[in-house]
Amino acid sequence: MALSSLGSRLVACLLNVSEARRKDLVETVAKAALYNAEGVRRKGTTVLNIFNDHDYNRSVITIVASIDSIREAVLSACEKACGLIDMRAHSGMHPCMGAVDLIPIYPLGEDVGVEDCAAEARAVAEGLTERVQGTSAFLFGWADSPLQRGLAQRRKEMGWFKKTPDMQAIRPDMGPQPQKRFGLTGVGASPYVMNCNVTIDTQDMAMGRSIAAAIRESTPGGLPGVQVLALPHQGAVEIACNVESVKGSPTGDTSAGEPWPCFSISGQLYCHAPASLITARVAELAGRQGVGAVGTALVGFTPFECRGLAELALSRGIAEFWKEQGRIRM
Protein backbone atom coordinates (compact mmCIF):
# COMPACT_ATOMS: atom_id res chain seq x y z
CA MET A 1 0.00 0.00 0.00
CA ALA A 2 1.50 3.32 -1.03
CA LEU A 3 1.91 5.78 1.81
CA SER A 4 0.01 9.04 1.54
CA SER A 5 -1.52 11.52 3.90
CA LEU A 6 -4.83 11.04 2.09
CA GLY A 7 -5.02 7.35 2.84
CA SER A 8 -3.24 7.17 6.18
CA ARG A 9 -6.47 7.32 8.27
CA LEU A 10 -8.75 5.34 5.97
CA VAL A 11 -10.92 2.43 7.09
CA ALA A 12 -13.31 0.20 5.16
CA CYS A 13 -16.70 -1.21 6.07
CA LEU A 14 -18.02 -4.07 3.93
CA LEU A 15 -21.67 -3.63 4.87
CA ASN A 16 -23.74 -6.80 4.27
CA VAL A 17 -27.47 -6.23 3.83
CA SER A 18 -30.16 -8.86 3.24
CA GLU A 19 -31.44 -7.58 -0.10
CA ALA A 20 -30.18 -7.86 -3.68
CA ARG A 21 -33.24 -8.35 -5.88
CA ARG A 22 -34.30 -4.71 -5.52
CA LYS A 23 -31.12 -3.01 -6.66
CA ASP A 24 -32.61 0.47 -6.41
CA LEU A 25 -33.25 -0.16 -2.72
CA VAL A 26 -29.64 -1.24 -2.19
CA GLU A 27 -28.38 1.88 -3.97
CA THR A 28 -30.60 3.97 -1.69
CA VAL A 29 -28.87 2.38 1.29
CA ALA A 30 -25.45 3.07 -0.24
CA LYS A 31 -26.32 6.71 -0.88
CA ALA A 32 -27.41 7.13 2.73
CA ALA A 33 -23.76 6.55 3.65
CA LEU A 34 -22.72 9.37 1.35
CA TYR A 35 -25.30 12.11 1.85
CA ASN A 36 -27.05 13.50 4.90
CA ALA A 37 -30.81 13.98 5.18
CA GLU A 38 -30.56 17.30 3.32
CA GLY A 39 -28.70 15.69 0.42
CA VAL A 40 -25.36 17.25 1.33
CA ARG A 41 -22.40 15.01 0.62
CA ARG A 42 -20.34 13.75 3.54
CA LYS A 43 -16.75 14.86 3.05
CA GLY A 44 -14.11 12.19 2.65
CA THR A 45 -16.49 9.27 2.15
CA THR A 46 -16.92 7.02 -0.89
CA VAL A 47 -18.75 3.83 -1.82
CA LEU A 48 -16.36 1.83 -3.98
CA ASN A 49 -18.53 -1.12 -4.90
CA ILE A 50 -21.97 -2.70 -4.57
CA PHE A 51 -21.98 -6.47 -5.03
CA ASN A 52 -25.46 -7.95 -5.51
CA ASP A 53 -26.21 -11.68 -5.51
CA HIS A 54 -29.74 -12.55 -6.63
CA ASP A 55 -29.74 -16.18 -5.43
CA TYR A 56 -28.40 -15.24 -2.02
CA ASN A 57 -30.56 -12.08 -1.89
CA ARG A 58 -27.59 -10.40 -0.25
CA SER A 59 -25.53 -7.34 -1.13
CA VAL A 60 -22.14 -6.12 0.04
CA ILE A 61 -21.60 -2.34 0.03
CA THR A 62 -17.95 -1.26 0.31
CA ILE A 63 -17.86 2.04 2.24
CA VAL A 64 -14.52 3.78 2.77
CA ALA A 65 -13.94 6.87 4.90
CA SER A 66 -11.51 8.22 7.46
CA ILE A 67 -11.71 6.69 10.93
CA ASP A 68 -13.21 10.02 12.04
CA SER A 69 -16.10 9.81 9.55
CA ILE A 70 -16.91 6.13 9.20
CA ARG A 71 -19.33 5.92 12.13
CA GLU A 72 -21.91 8.38 10.82
CA ALA A 73 -21.66 7.03 7.27
CA VAL A 74 -22.27 3.43 8.38
CA LEU A 75 -25.01 4.30 10.86
CA SER A 76 -26.90 6.33 8.27
CA ALA A 77 -26.74 3.44 5.80
CA CYS A 78 -27.89 0.98 8.48
CA GLU A 79 -30.75 3.22 9.52
CA LYS A 80 -31.93 3.41 5.93
CA ALA A 81 -31.58 -0.35 5.41
CA CYS A 82 -33.60 -1.12 8.55
CA GLY A 83 -36.37 1.14 7.30
CA LEU A 84 -36.53 -0.58 3.90
CA ILE A 85 -35.78 -4.28 4.56
CA ASP A 86 -38.21 -6.49 6.47
CA MET A 87 -36.75 -9.86 7.46
CA ARG A 88 -40.23 -11.35 7.75
CA ALA A 89 -40.45 -11.22 3.95
CA HIS A 90 -36.87 -12.23 3.19
CA SER A 91 -35.88 -15.33 1.22
CA GLY A 92 -32.46 -16.34 -0.08
CA MET A 93 -29.98 -19.21 -0.23
CA HIS A 94 -27.32 -17.53 1.96
CA PRO A 95 -27.57 -17.80 5.75
CA CYS A 96 -28.53 -14.51 7.37
CA MET A 97 -30.14 -13.23 10.53
CA GLY A 98 -30.49 -9.48 10.09
CA ALA A 99 -31.78 -6.85 7.68
CA VAL A 100 -28.29 -5.46 8.21
CA ASP A 101 -26.54 -8.79 8.63
CA LEU A 102 -22.91 -7.81 9.06
CA ILE A 103 -20.92 -4.64 9.81
CA PRO A 104 -17.17 -5.37 9.72
CA ILE A 105 -14.73 -2.45 9.98
CA TYR A 106 -11.13 -2.87 8.74
CA PRO A 107 -8.10 -0.55 8.93
CA LEU A 108 -6.61 0.51 5.60
CA GLY A 109 -4.31 3.40 6.53
CA GLU A 110 -1.04 3.15 8.44
CA ASP A 111 -2.22 5.63 11.07
CA VAL A 112 -5.18 3.44 12.08
CA GLY A 113 -5.01 0.32 14.26
CA VAL A 114 -7.45 -2.53 14.67
CA GLU A 115 -8.19 -1.23 18.17
CA ASP A 116 -9.36 2.07 16.65
CA CYS A 117 -11.72 0.15 14.37
CA ALA A 118 -12.94 -1.90 17.33
CA ALA A 119 -13.87 1.26 19.21
CA GLU A 120 -15.82 2.50 16.18
CA ALA A 121 -17.52 -0.88 15.76
CA ARG A 122 -18.73 -0.84 19.36
CA ALA A 123 -19.99 2.72 18.87
CA VAL A 124 -21.80 1.68 15.68
CA ALA A 125 -23.48 -1.25 17.47
CA GLU A 126 -24.59 1.01 20.28
CA GLY A 127 -25.71 3.74 17.89
CA LEU A 128 -27.73 1.32 15.75
CA THR A 129 -29.66 -0.09 18.71
CA GLU A 130 -30.36 3.45 19.95
CA ARG A 131 -31.37 4.95 16.59
CA VAL A 132 -33.47 2.06 15.34
CA GLN A 133 -35.59 0.81 18.21
CA GLY A 134 -35.93 -2.95 18.14
CA THR A 135 -32.54 -3.71 16.54
CA SER A 136 -30.06 -6.04 18.26
CA ALA A 137 -26.36 -6.71 17.77
CA PHE A 138 -23.60 -9.13 18.68
CA LEU A 139 -19.90 -8.22 18.66
CA PHE A 140 -17.02 -10.16 17.11
CA GLY A 141 -13.30 -9.86 16.53
CA TRP A 142 -11.44 -7.05 18.27
CA ALA A 143 -14.78 -5.40 19.13
CA ASP A 144 -15.66 -8.42 21.29
CA SER A 145 -13.56 -7.36 24.26
CA PRO A 146 -11.88 -9.03 26.05
CA LEU A 147 -12.52 -12.43 24.41
CA GLN A 148 -12.04 -11.31 20.78
CA ARG A 149 -14.03 -14.26 19.46
CA GLY A 150 -13.96 -14.65 15.69
CA LEU A 151 -16.95 -14.14 13.42
CA ALA A 152 -17.42 -17.85 12.68
CA GLN A 153 -17.49 -18.71 16.39
CA ARG A 154 -19.91 -15.91 17.24
CA ARG A 155 -22.21 -16.84 14.36
CA LYS A 156 -22.27 -20.43 15.56
CA GLU A 157 -23.12 -19.27 19.08
CA MET A 158 -25.98 -17.14 17.73
CA GLY A 159 -27.41 -19.91 15.53
CA TRP A 160 -26.61 -18.03 12.30
CA PHE A 161 -25.86 -21.26 10.41
CA LYS A 162 -29.24 -22.81 11.22
CA LYS A 163 -32.06 -22.67 8.67
CA THR A 164 -34.46 -21.39 11.31
CA PRO A 165 -32.54 -19.81 14.21
CA ASP A 166 -34.33 -19.69 17.57
CA MET A 167 -34.50 -15.93 18.11
CA GLN A 168 -35.86 -16.38 21.63
CA ALA A 169 -32.74 -18.28 22.68
CA ILE A 170 -30.35 -15.56 21.50
CA ARG A 171 -28.70 -13.21 23.99
CA PRO A 172 -27.43 -10.21 22.01
CA ASP A 173 -24.57 -8.06 23.27
CA MET A 174 -26.56 -4.89 22.61
CA GLY A 175 -30.25 -4.17 22.17
CA PRO A 176 -33.34 -6.22 23.06
CA GLN A 177 -34.24 -9.80 22.20
CA PRO A 178 -34.03 -9.96 18.39
CA GLN A 179 -37.27 -9.05 16.62
CA LYS A 180 -38.39 -10.76 13.44
CA ARG A 181 -38.54 -7.53 11.45
CA PHE A 182 -34.91 -6.48 11.99
CA GLY A 183 -33.29 -9.72 13.09
CA LEU A 184 -29.76 -9.66 14.50
CA THR A 185 -26.69 -7.75 13.27
CA GLY A 186 -23.04 -8.78 13.68
CA VAL A 187 -20.69 -5.84 14.30
CA GLY A 188 -16.94 -6.15 14.62
CA ALA A 189 -13.41 -5.24 13.63
CA SER A 190 -10.33 -7.12 12.48
CA PRO A 191 -7.55 -6.94 9.92
CA TYR A 192 -9.04 -7.00 6.41
CA VAL A 193 -11.19 -9.99 5.41
CA MET A 194 -11.52 -10.75 1.71
CA ASN A 195 -14.42 -12.70 0.20
CA CYS A 196 -13.56 -15.23 -2.51
CA ASN A 197 -16.17 -17.59 -3.99
CA VAL A 198 -15.32 -20.50 -6.30
CA THR A 199 -18.09 -22.22 -8.28
CA ILE A 200 -17.86 -25.94 -9.07
CA ASP A 201 -19.90 -27.54 -11.84
CA THR A 202 -22.14 -29.82 -9.80
CA GLN A 203 -25.29 -29.76 -7.73
CA ASP A 204 -23.90 -32.32 -5.28
CA MET A 205 -23.93 -30.50 -1.94
CA ALA A 206 -22.19 -33.39 -0.17
CA MET A 207 -19.25 -32.97 -2.52
CA GLY A 208 -19.29 -29.22 -1.96
CA ARG A 209 -19.26 -29.67 1.81
CA SER A 210 -16.35 -32.12 1.62
CA ILE A 211 -14.31 -29.64 -0.43
CA ALA A 212 -15.20 -26.80 1.93
CA ALA A 213 -14.10 -28.91 4.90
CA ALA A 214 -10.80 -29.80 3.22
CA ILE A 215 -9.67 -26.21 2.67
CA ARG A 216 -11.07 -24.78 5.92
CA GLU A 217 -8.44 -23.42 8.32
CA SER A 218 -9.51 -25.72 11.15
CA THR A 219 -8.77 -28.84 9.06
CA PRO A 220 -5.21 -30.26 9.08
CA GLY A 221 -3.71 -29.17 5.76
CA GLY A 222 -6.32 -26.46 5.32
CA LEU A 223 -5.54 -22.88 4.36
CA PRO A 224 -4.74 -20.45 7.20
CA GLY A 225 -7.38 -17.77 7.66
CA VAL A 226 -9.90 -19.41 5.32
CA GLN A 227 -13.45 -19.94 6.64
CA VAL A 228 -15.72 -21.78 4.20
CA LEU A 229 -19.34 -22.61 3.41
CA ALA A 230 -20.69 -24.70 0.51
CA LEU A 231 -23.92 -23.21 -0.82
CA PRO A 232 -26.26 -23.96 -3.76
CA HIS A 233 -25.87 -21.15 -6.26
CA GLN A 234 -27.28 -20.65 -9.77
CA GLY A 235 -27.69 -24.36 -10.48
CA ALA A 236 -24.21 -25.23 -9.18
CA VAL A 237 -22.35 -25.24 -5.86
CA GLU A 238 -20.36 -22.27 -4.61
CA ILE A 239 -17.46 -22.69 -2.23
CA ALA A 240 -17.87 -19.37 -0.40
CA CYS A 241 -14.75 -18.29 1.49
CA ASN A 242 -14.10 -15.60 4.06
CA VAL A 243 -10.35 -15.05 3.73
CA GLU A 244 -9.06 -13.61 6.99
CA SER A 245 -5.69 -11.90 7.27
CA VAL A 246 -3.24 -13.82 9.46
CA LYS A 247 -0.17 -12.64 11.34
CA GLY A 248 3.26 -13.09 9.79
CA SER A 249 4.22 -14.84 6.58
CA PRO A 250 2.91 -18.22 5.40
CA THR A 251 5.08 -21.30 5.71
CA GLY A 252 6.12 -23.26 2.65
CA ASP A 253 3.64 -25.98 3.58
CA THR A 254 0.65 -23.66 3.19
CA SER A 255 1.81 -21.21 0.53
CA ALA A 256 2.18 -23.84 -2.23
CA GLY A 257 4.95 -21.68 -3.66
CA GLU A 258 2.62 -18.74 -4.30
CA PRO A 259 3.34 -15.31 -2.84
CA TRP A 260 0.79 -14.25 -0.23
CA PRO A 261 -0.11 -10.53 -0.33
CA CYS A 262 1.18 -8.85 2.85
CA PHE A 263 0.57 -5.54 4.60
CA SER A 264 1.31 -3.94 7.95
CA ILE A 265 -0.98 -2.69 10.72
CA SER A 266 0.68 -0.79 13.57
CA GLY A 267 3.99 -2.46 12.71
CA GLN A 268 2.54 -5.99 12.68
CA LEU A 269 2.84 -7.91 9.41
CA TYR A 270 -0.30 -9.62 8.09
CA CYS A 271 -0.92 -11.67 4.96
CA HIS A 272 -3.83 -13.47 3.32
CA ALA A 273 -4.27 -16.45 1.05
CA PRO A 274 -4.41 -15.34 -2.60
CA ALA A 275 -7.57 -16.03 -4.59
CA SER A 276 -5.50 -17.96 -7.14
CA LEU A 277 -4.38 -20.45 -4.48
CA ILE A 278 -7.93 -20.95 -3.19
CA THR A 279 -9.18 -21.48 -6.74
CA ALA A 280 -6.39 -23.97 -7.50
CA ARG A 281 -7.05 -25.93 -4.31
CA VAL A 282 -10.80 -26.13 -4.97
CA ALA A 283 -10.21 -27.10 -8.61
CA GLU A 284 -7.80 -29.85 -7.55
CA LEU A 285 -10.22 -31.32 -5.01
CA ALA A 286 -13.18 -31.12 -7.38
CA GLY A 287 -11.15 -32.56 -10.22
CA ARG A 288 -10.40 -35.69 -8.20
CA GLN A 289 -14.15 -36.34 -8.30
CA GLY A 290 -14.51 -35.56 -11.99
CA VAL A 291 -15.93 -32.07 -11.52
CA GLY A 292 -14.54 -28.80 -12.85
CA ALA A 293 -14.26 -25.35 -11.29
CA VAL A 294 -16.11 -22.90 -13.51
CA GLY A 295 -15.35 -19.50 -12.04
CA THR A 296 -14.08 -17.40 -9.16
CA ALA A 297 -15.69 -14.20 -7.87
CA LEU A 298 -13.87 -11.76 -5.62
CA VAL A 299 -16.58 -9.89 -3.70
CA GLY A 300 -15.21 -6.37 -3.58
CA PHE A 301 -11.44 -6.01 -3.41
CA THR A 302 -8.17 -7.13 -1.92
CA PRO A 303 -6.81 -4.83 0.83
CA PHE A 304 -4.36 -3.27 -1.65
CA GLU A 305 -7.07 -2.57 -4.21
CA CYS A 306 -9.42 -1.17 -1.59
CA ARG A 307 -6.85 1.35 -0.31
CA GLY A 308 -5.69 2.34 -3.79
CA LEU A 309 -9.15 2.80 -5.27
CA ALA A 310 -10.32 4.73 -2.22
CA GLU A 311 -7.42 7.16 -2.57
CA LEU A 312 -8.26 7.54 -6.25
CA ALA A 313 -11.96 8.14 -5.59
CA LEU A 314 -11.39 10.62 -2.78
CA SER A 315 -8.66 12.54 -4.62
CA ARG A 316 -11.09 13.05 -7.50
CA GLY A 317 -14.09 13.78 -5.28
CA ILE A 318 -16.04 10.73 -6.49
CA ALA A 319 -18.61 9.64 -3.91
CA GLU A 320 -20.52 7.05 -5.98
CA PHE A 321 -17.42 5.31 -7.28
CA TRP A 322 -19.27 2.08 -8.06
CA LYS A 323 -20.89 3.91 -10.97
CA GLU A 324 -17.54 5.03 -12.37
CA GLN A 325 -16.08 1.57 -12.80
CA GLY A 326 -18.17 0.89 -15.88
CA ARG A 327 -18.58 -2.76 -14.99
CA ILE A 328 -19.46 -4.97 -12.04
CA ARG A 329 -16.31 -5.55 -10.01
CA MET A 330 -16.01 -9.14 -8.85
Side-chain angles (χ1 to χ4, degrees):
M1 296 181 184
L3 300 180
S4 75
S5 58
L6 179 67
S8 65
R9 291 186 61 76
L10 289 180
V11 299
C13 175
L14 272 63
L15 185 69
N16 286 234
V17 298
S18 297
E19 179 58 64
R21 296 166 187 170
R22 296 175 289 173
K23 292 186 179 181
D24 56 337
L25 184 156
V26 179
E27 287 204 6
T28 298
V29 173
K31 289 177 181 178
L34 299 171
Y35 308 100
N36 66 19
E38 288 73 44
V40 178
R41 182 189 166 193
R42 291 192 174 88
K43 186 178 179 182
T45 304
T46 185
V47 171
L48 295 181
N49 189 60
I50 301 174
F51 181 94
N52 308 108
D53 192 293
H54 185 275
D55 272 22
Y56 291 164
N57 202 12
R58 184 180 186 88
S59 297
V60 181
I61 303 169
T62 304
I63 305 167
V64 180
S66 74
I67 187 70
D68 311 291
S69 305
I70 193 68
R71 186 189 310 178
E72 187 57 36
V74 171
L75 278 172
S76 296
C78 291
E79 197 170 1
K80 181 65 71 175
C82 288
L84 296 173
I85 301 169
D86 188 338
M87 288 303 290
R88 293 171 296 189
H90 180 271
S91 64
M93 299 305 298
H94 198 287
C96 67
M97 288 182 75
V100 177
D101 198 54
L102 188 66
I103 309 174
I105 300 178
Y106 310 130
L108 295 177
E110 59 276 1
D111 290 345
V112 182
V114 184
E115 297 81 3
D116 301 315
C117 293
E120 287 304 306
R122 287 191 290 269
V124 165
E126 184 176 1
L128 175 62
T129 56
E130 288 176 352
R131 286 194 192 188
V132 184
Q133 294 298 307
T135 55
S136 311
F138 69 88
L139 301 173
F140 66 89
W142 270 251
D144 175 40
S145 180
L147 298 177
Q148 295 189 359
R149 289 166 290 184
L151 177 59
Q153 179 183 345
R154 298 256 50 210
R155 280 175 161 172
K156 187 175 182 180
E157 291 169 356
M158 296 293 153
W160 187 85
F161 297 103
K162 297 179 180 177
K163 287 186 177 180
T164 54
D166 181 4
M167 290 294 190
Q168 295 306 309
I170 294 170
R171 299 292 178 263
D173 295 318
M174 294 187 183
Q177 202 74 30
Q179 298 182 10
K180 290 183 179 180
R181 189 198 192 296
F182 302 116
L184 179 70
T185 300
V187 189
S190 71
Y192 200 95
V193 176
M194 190 175 70
N195 302 107
C196 175
N197 301 335
V198 184
T199 301
I200 57 174
D201 191 16
T202 182
Q203 295 183 4
D204 186 341
M205 284 300 301
M207 182 190 301
R209 283 190 286 268
S210 70
I211 291 171
I215 67 171
R216 189 174 289 130
E217 177 183 46
S218 58
T219 301
L223 295 173
V226 177
Q227 312 294 336
V228 199
L229 284 176
L231 298 169
H233 188 254
Q234 296 180 354
V237 173
E238 189 163 80
I239 310 301
C241 306
N242 277 1
V243 187
E244 299 175 352
S245 299
V246 296
K247 286 184 178 180
S249 300
T251 65
D253 293 339
T254 58
S255 67
E258 291 199 47
W260 285 40
C262 295
F263 57 95
S264 178
I265 301 173
S266 302
Q268 171 66 56
L269 184 69
Y270 288 88
C271 64
H272 64 83
S276 56
L277 175 59
I278 295 169
T279 302
R281 188 68 62 88
V282 171
E284 176 192 358
L285 292 166
R288 292 177 187 173
Q289 302 183 64
V291 170
V294 294
T296 300
L298 189 62
V299 181
F301 310 98
T302 67
F304 287 97
E305 290 174 327
C306 195
R307 165 81 182 256
L309 289 173
E311 289 183 335
L312 174 66
L314 293 172
S315 68
R316 297 184 180 180
I318 305 171
E320 299 175 26
F321 188 78
W322 80 89
K323 293 182 177 179
E324 303 295 321
Q325 296 188 81
R327 60 189 176 89
I328 296 174
R329 177 63 171 82
M330 300 176 91

